[in-house]
Amino acid sequence: MLDTFKCEKDELPNGACYAKFDGAADAVLVVGTSKGQSRLEADDGRVLAFNIVDNRLALLAEYVADGSVFTVNEVAGKLIATINGKVQGIGNIIV
């Protein structure tokens, strides 16, 4: 195991991808989460972006979503997520 990241209370990780955004020097690990009693009844969720340095996770950015973030993927240098039954373009959360 390389490293761990503890999610917030009642937060569950749902999906992850390794992505390289437009203008970024390095690729990052992106994780989608849901917060609530279950994934299907989530009030909200987050998209978390991590840099991996010396086998350690370093949180770079987060995007708070209005619903459960089921999947995340990079398409043409932009972040796409499925949030509560919608496909949503988030763009580049790394500033």
Side-chain angles (χ1 to χ4, degrees):
M1 177 173 18
L2 297 176
D3 197 12
T4 59
F5 176 83
K6 184 155 176 59
C7 291
E8 295 177 355
K9 184 178 189 245
D10 294 330
E11 183 177 35
L12 300 169
N14 292 327
C17 72
Y18 202 57
K20 185 155 190 316
F21 297 112
D22 286 345
D26 298 313
V28 295
L29 175 65
V30 181
V31 178
T33 73
S34 57
K35 292 167 67 175
Q37 295 302 313
S38 76
R39 285 180 174 93
L40 299 178
E41 299 173 5
D43 297 324
D44 60 357
R46 296 188 297 166
V47 176
L48 307 171
F50 297 94
N51 199 2
I52 301 174
V53 179
D54 296 327
N55 294 331
R56 307 281 302 174
L57 295 172
L59 183 63
L60 292 176
E62 74 175 286
Y63 169 83
V64 177
D66 188 25
S68 180
V69 182
F70 287 101
T71 62
V72 289
N73 206 343
E74 178 262 325
V75 176
K78 306 286 188 249
L79 184 64
I80 304 295
T82 54
I83 302 172
N84 280 3
K86 297 182 293 185
V87 177
Q88 183 173 331
I90 296 175
N92 183 350
I93 65 170
I94 309 298
V95 271

